[in-house]
Amino acid sequence: MDTQDPVKRNKIELAYNFLRTQIIAHIATVSTANLPHIASVYYMCDAKLNFYFVTQMNTLKFNNLKFNPIISIEVTDESTLRTVQARGKAAVCTDQKESVSVINQISQIVRYNVLWTPPTILHNYNASATVIKFAPEWLRLADFREMTPKRIEEI
């Protein structure tokens, strides 16, 4: 989500600053039988609003991604009543340097969260897992503290 438009750039920066404060996303995929599936994952994102997460290659989430790479992601902060919702295409990250960086960064996030058991890859390096990169085609940041039409910013 790169742009030359300063208004859009500002919206991207607002979404990025919010997403940097969160650690868990909810990923929605669809099976070959057109059944929805939602999974919670640790994630990270970059300044262009690309999301990254790690998944085992034997999960329903991964199998659904192979069938249909179009997914939705949702991140919510209950304490501030803000959320980001996004839709776009997910793919296996093929850049090894990028994948190692993602795993290292997500491992650091997991180290400090004792309330949720981390994904297996983060404590079992022999597991068959991969990094997924998600590039949103549509994204919106909603702030439900404000009760005005401007509370939802589509990017």
Side-chain angles (χ1 to χ4, degrees):
M1 301 204 98
D2 206 6
T3 183
Q4 300 300 321
D5 178 5
V7 173
K8 191 167 186 176
R9 241 191 345 258
N10 184 51
K11 290 178 182 181
I12 290 171
E13 187 175 331
L14 286 172
Y16 176 64
N17 288 337
F18 166 73
L19 290 166
R20 289 179 37 201
T21 68
Q22 304 303 304
I23 60 173
I24 296 173
H26 308 287
I27 311 296
T29 62
V30 177
S31 74
T32 56
N34 289 321
L35 297 172
H37 174 69
I38 297 178
S40 298
V41 297
Y42 285 111
Y43 79 94
M44 58 158 291
C45 71
D46 62 25
K48 294 181 180 179
L49 301 182
N50 293 306
F51 290 73
Y52 300 85
F53 59 93
V54 178
T55 185
Q56 296 288 337
M57 294 169 66
N58 63 349
T59 62
L60 181 56
K61 167 176 63 259
F62 184 74
N63 288 330
N64 288 350
L65 287 171
K66 287 190 306 186
F67 166 69
N68 181 355
I70 305 301
I71 67 170
S72 290
I73 286 185
E74 184 270 339
V75 177
T76 297
D77 183 345
E78 186 178 333
S79 66
T80 64
L81 302 175
R82 291 184 298 166
T83 184
V84 162
Q85 300 166 342
R87 182 177 52 249
K89 192 171 187 177
V92 171
C93 183
T94 57
D95 182 318
Q96 186 174 8
K97 185 177 178 182
E98 188 176 33
S99 292
V100 168
S101 175
V102 167
I103 289 172
N104 287 336
Q105 290 179 63
I106 290 178
S107 294
Q108 291 302 310
I109 292 168
V110 171
R111 278 181 59 191
Y112 298 105
N113 186 7
V114 296
L115 300 176
W116 191 42
T117 304
T120 306
I121 181 60
L122 300 176
H123 56 80
N124 180 1
Y125 292 103
N126 295 324
S128 178
T130 191
V131 172
I132 303 295
K133 182 177 183 178
F134 167 73
E137 296 167 359
W138 171 87
L139 185 140
R140 83 173 170 191
L141 172 65
D143 185 342
F144 293 104
R145 295 173 298 182
E146 299 177 29
M147 298 307 290
T148 67
K150 291 261 181 195
R151 68 183 180 174
I152 298 175
E153 299 283 350
E154 289 201 18
I155 301 173

